[in-house]
Amino acid sequence: MCFNLAEGPRCRICTDERRDAGLICVVEEPGDVIPVERTHEYRGRYHVLGGALSPIDGVDPEDLKLEELYARVTAPPTPEAGGPIREVVLATNPTTTGEATALHIAAELRARAPEVAVTRLASGLPVGADLEYADEVTLGKALVGRRAL
């Protein structure tokens, strides 16, 4: 269902009834689920794409699990899938290909399911970092994503 690693037809996260079925976190690879889970901040389900868009490397939308994601988001609620989907969190890597993938998914979801909130992980300075060692892009993203205290 989510394309995460599993011993059966559904992974342990998808079978956990305590998880919020209306929240999907989109990641590039199965290994990306682990760091998100380690935060203990996310209680939804996942969707593993199997990579990121990269036309230069020959990775096109049909090479990823994008249609399956769109089908999950637009499908009517069922007992096993849960739902309805309220939010999709785009947690692709903050690389050129990850950003392109996130933008592509966001545009498609806005067209196919405008009632679903599409969010992106914040990016910026890591905890404990010094400003003098931050590159311009990271510092710029930190400024854009600033919040009130």
Side-chain angles (χ1 to χ4, degrees):
M1 181 160 113
C2 68
F3 304 99
N4 192 7
L5 301 175
E7 292 178 5
R10 295 175 68 202
C11 77
R12 66 173 181 79
I13 294 171
C14 287
T15 57
D16 185 348
E17 296 295 325
R18 297 169 298 177
R19 305 296 288 225
D20 184 349
L23 186 59
I24 296 177
C25 180
V26 178
V27 296
E28 292 179 23
E29 301 292 344
D32 297 334
V33 171
I34 297 164
V36 176
E37 283 296 291
R38 269 195 241 133
T39 68
H40 302 288
E41 295 291 329
Y42 180 73
R43 298 300 307 152
R45 294 185 177 167
Y46 292 89
H47 188 88
V48 179
L49 296 174
L53 294 175
S54 180
I56 224 164
D57 296 322
V59 181
D60 297 317
E62 57 272 4
D63 298 320
L64 304 176
K65 303 293 184 191
L66 293 172
E67 286 303 322
E68 292 85 348
L69 171 64
Y70 305 143
R72 278 181 78 184
V73 172
T74 58
T78 64
E80 80 172 16
I85 304 301
R86 298 181 319 278
E87 181 180 356
V88 174
V89 179
L90 300 176
T92 54
N93 292 317
T95 59
T96 306
T97 57
E99 291 291 333
T101 305
L103 290 172
H104 177 82
I105 293 170
E108 283 291 324
L109 288 175
R110 272 194 296 278
R112 296 175 188 226
E115 71 285 359
V116 175
V118 180
T119 59
R120 180 88 169 110
L121 288 184
S123 59
L125 298 172
V127 173
D130 287 353
L131 288 179
E132 71 178 291
Y133 301 117
D135 64 275
E136 296 84 18
V137 174
T138 302
L139 191 52
K141 291 208 177 244
L143 282 167
V144 169
R146 67 189 182 276
R147 57 187 170 86
L149 291 176

